[in-house]
Amino acid sequence: MANTDEPSERHMPMAWIAPLSEAVADLVTDGDTIAMEGFTHLIPVAAGHEIIRQRRRDLTLVRMTPDIVYDQLIGAGCARRLVFSWGGNPGVGSLHRFRDAVETGWPVPLEIEEHSHAGMANRYVAGASGLPFAVLRGYVGTDLPAHTTTIKTIACPFTGEELTAVPALNPDVAVIHAQRADRRGNVQMWGITGVQKEAVLAARRSLVTVEEIVDDLDPRPGGVVLPGWAVTYVTEVPSGAHPSYAQGYYERDNAYYRAWDAVSRNRETFTSWVSDMDRRAS
Amino acid sequence: MTAQPSAEAAAPADYTADEIMTVTASRALRGEMTCFVGIGLPSTAANLARRTHAPDLVLVYESGTLGSKPTRLPLSIGDGVLAETADAVISVPEVFNYWLQPGRIDVGFLGAAQLDRFGNINTTVVGDYRDPKVRLPGAGGAPEIAASCGEVVVVVRQTPRTFVERVDFVTSMGYGTGPGHRERLGLRGRGPVRVITDLGVLEPDPATCELTLTSVHPGVDVERAREATGWRLAVADDLTVTSAPTSSELNVLRALVRTATEEP
């Protein structure tokens, strides 16, 4: 039977509140599987940039909708594998660094494990539920099962009906961005919350960057609360989701997404973007 | 047979090929319907429908917004305006498991990078999967939208590069290899009932499931549609000419498109 008991990580009384660089240094190690989730809204971009600055390597990056922060991580050579269901610059076009890595292996070859949204969402649900796999009606008639080994069929034990099974996702680290947390590390987010709760609960460790840390969380209709004891680190990073948006705080910076297309289109402009980031951090 | 243009129908010079495509696609939607909306051309058409003849149309986006009534054209599938104007905002697992999978959504509105004669869609790669000529974004929600919605409408520009004999990769299944294939696999939805392009409308032949040209837009001749198609395009005996967009449809569409370029 699998040992899921990890007292040092699972039973902390509350999240640690620490600066971003410290949290990333403690949580993210070369070779880890990292899920940074966010569905257009609340994308943990600042945390992704910190991983680039700390020059992590050989990461397996997991995300339903890898967009420009994953393009940046891939182009900076942090990743050797991507598990995903849709990779693009929403509303603009291709991810040029992702394409360069897949099509020509620059700066390092990128293996891909490709799913559909329904499959990825269910993989997180299984991971959060402590189950080895999830069952869905999915992928039928498509070419995905021929290329992705983590898509199998399974017979319903009650009716014999053939269904699709996908294995649980249990990342080493989940990273998300939320609107707020209190001083005990209870996290609150609202608006489009995607698959972030499932990603945190599926992961062994987690980091939540927030717009602000407040004394008390007043209730929000439709809001999601992650209790502080279910989160490893909370870090206050105002505008930490920029250029994506944080409902109630700031709008999406559409110009940044459009500008990224030109920056990422060739290796030289991208490489100078990375070195400028290093200078900003020093 | 040529459909009689209505009194206020615009002349071909008054609208673009993309505009008649979007207007024609919007007319495929009715009120009192639920529509799972892909981003891009399908989203524009669905939002146009809601602002013209189908105000009760329920828009569902895969980011988890049910019943969005966006006041401007969303730029992405998770645009804030979709959440702010929704009847309910739910998680992504919920939108796929509780709403799409059991067959609660009437119509899936999809785009395509490649489409073949049986309406199979590719948004994954051009060329070989392991050594692709072009790496495309991938599946997103489309495989299950194409499988589980009551029916599917595809909105895509018609070119020989897009309309291919055989897709390089089946991301989302249309009619597979032909009649009976969906049924053998147990797919619950009917599949693609209409493909709306900048040149006309294609519908599956009831006997062969092959996409057949059933309508051309005003000013488009059949030969042009054939040249834009990578297979021997079948043409319906009762080919019609699409009704031109009305001036009010065009006005609403243009105002809608303008909202997309305004910063929120």
Side-chain angles (χ1 to χ4, degrees):
Chain A
M1 201 170 150
N3 176 19
T4 54
D5 189 27
E6 297 176 20
S8 64
E9 292 165 2
R10 291 274 186 196
H11 299 296
M12 284 187 302
M14 60 180 78
W16 288 322
I17 296 179
L20 181 60
S21 57
E22 217 175 290
V24 167
D26 191 37
L27 288 176
V28 182
T29 309
D30 287 354
D32 275 354
T33 296
I34 313 287
M36 309 180 70
E37 278 295 346
F39 215 100
T40 306
H41 182 214
L42 296 175
I43 296 168
V45 177
H49 289 176
E50 185 57 31
I51 291 173
I52 296 175
R53 280 190 201 101
Q54 297 194 11
R55 300 179 196 284
R56 295 280 70 84
R57 289 292 179 266
D58 296 322
L59 301 177
T60 292
L61 295 179
V62 182
R63 188 160 161 208
M64 293 182 64
T65 52
D67 73 340
I68 65 183
V69 68
Y70 269 37
D71 205 37
Q72 293 161 351
L73 283 152
I74 289 164
C78 301
R80 71 171 174 79
R81 184 173 172 80
L82 178 69
V83 183
F84 76 110
S85 38
W86 189 91
N89 182 347
V92 179
S94 287
L95 295 179
H96 300 294
R97 295 298 96 227
F98 161 63
R99 281 184 55 177
D100 202 9
V102 171
E103 293 168 11
T104 71
W106 191 90
V108 286
L110 184 72
E111 290 170 33
I112 56 173
E113 178 181 336
E114 188 161 4
H115 281 266
S116 67
H117 280 351
M120 286 291 284
N122 277 287
R123 296 186 69 188
Y124 279 121
V125 169
S129 308
L131 290 170
F133 67 93
V135 176
L136 72 153
R137 297 179 193 283
Y139 305 96
V140 177
T142 77
D143 285 339
L144 283 162
H147 297 282
T148 302
T149 56
T150 47
I151 304 168
K152 305 272 189 204
T153 56
I154 187 169
C156 169
F158 304 103
T159 64
E161 184 182 2
E162 192 172 274
L163 298 162
T164 302
V166 286
L169 275 169
N170 291 108
D172 295 307
V173 188
V175 182
I176 66 166
H177 187 79
Q179 278 98 340
R180 300 194 299 203
D182 66 17
R183 299 190 192 286
R184 297 170 55 81
N186 297 304
V187 169
Q188 188 185 42
M189 54 185 164
W190 61 89
I192 291 170
T193 55
V195 75
Q196 285 97 305
K197 176 175 161 179
E198 288 78 8
V200 166
L201 297 180
R204 294 176 181 85
R205 308 182 292 275
S206 56
L207 166 61
V208 184
T209 57
V210 294
E211 288 300 318
E212 57 176 340
I213 294 177
V214 296
D215 290 329
D216 292 298
L217 297 174
D218 55 75
R220 285 278 167 166
V224 171
V225 173
L226 280 168
W229 53 267
V231 174
T232 317
Y233 273 100
V234 168
T235 298
E236 190 177 57
V237 187
S239 300
H242 176 267
S244 79
Y245 70 102
Q247 198 170 314
Y249 288 81
Y250 45 89
E251 302 283 357
R252 192 171 188 265
D253 183 355
N254 294 316
Y256 185 109
Y257 283 84
R258 285 193 296 270
W260 182 251
D261 191 68
V263 173
S264 61
R265 207 171 267 274
N266 72 67
R267 295 171 184 175
E268 291 69 34
T269 50
F270 172 76
T271 304
S272 50
W273 178 86
V274 175
S275 28
D276 284 350
M277 189 172 67
D278 283 347
R279 273 202 293 280
R280 282 198 298 274
S282 60
Chain B
M1 195 186 85
T2 302
Q4 285 303 306
S6 70
E8 59 164 342
D14 297 338
Y15 54 82
T16 67
D18 272 7
E19 284 175 334
I20 189 169
M21 169 170 62
T22 304
V23 167
T24 307
S26 80
R27 292 173 180 165
L29 296 167
R30 302 181 306 275
E32 313 289 325
M33 255 183 145
T34 51
C35 177
F36 208 113
V37 190
I39 208 65
L41 297 170
S43 179
T44 309
N47 278 286
L48 176 62
R50 232 186 50 76
R51 283 160 187 245
T52 52
H53 63 280
D56 296 328
L57 180 68
V58 176
L59 304 184
V60 177
Y61 286 82
E62 65 192 15
S63 56
T65 67
L66 298 184
S68 290
K69 294 163 281 292
T71 49
R72 55 182 170 79
L73 196 60
L75 279 173
S76 79
I77 222 94
D79 199 306
V81 74
L82 298 174
E84 286 156 13
T85 61
D87 297 328
V89 182
I90 57 177
S91 73
V92 167
E94 186 179 332
V95 78
F96 285 102
N97 287 349
Y98 296 176
W99 298 89
L100 178 62
Q101 186 165 260
R104 290 184 215 282
I105 313 293
D106 298 318
V107 55
F109 231 48
L110 296 174
Q114 277 186 341
L115 179 90
D116 69 22
R117 69 164 77 206
F118 290 117
N120 301 301
I121 292 173
N122 174 16
T123 57
T124 303
V125 290
V126 176
D128 181 67
Y129 184 75
R130 290 291 158 201
D131 186 20
K133 278 207 279 282
V134 182
R135 175 63 234 195
L136 300 165
E144 287 75 25
I145 295 171
S148 296
C149 284
E151 59 186 44
V152 171
V153 174
V154 184
V155 191
V156 59
R157 295 183 190 101
Q158 192 165 350
T159 71
R161 257 175 55 173
T162 303
F163 279 58
V164 294
E165 172 71 40
R166 214 183 145 80
V167 288
D168 292 349
F169 190 99
V170 179
T171 312
S172 303
M173 184 162 167
Y175 296 100
T177 54
H181 199 173
R182 287 182 72 89
E183 293 74 10
R184 285 198 299 282
L185 294 178
L187 297 183
R188 294 170 157 198
R190 288 170 60 201
V193 296
R194 211 163 299 159
V195 176
I196 295 157
T197 81
D198 49 345
L199 301 180
V201 178
L202 296 85
E203 293 173 71
D205 181 279
T208 65
C209 292
E210 183 175 325
L211 290 176
T212 302
L213 187 69
T214 54
S215 172
V216 285
H217 298 331
V220 175
D221 62 31
V222 170
E223 206 39 50
R224 206 171 131 211
R226 282 208 170 104
E227 280 164 13
T229 306
W231 67 84
R232 259 179 74 89
L233 179 64
V235 179
D237 294 337
D238 54 350
L239 179 76
T240 61
V241 175
T242 314
S243 307
T246 65
S247 52
S248 76
E249 282 170 325
L250 288 171
N251 289 339
V252 175
L253 172 60
R254 287 167 188 167
L256 183 64
V257 169
R258 271 198 301 277
T259 64
T261 53
E262 290 162 3
E263 294 299 322

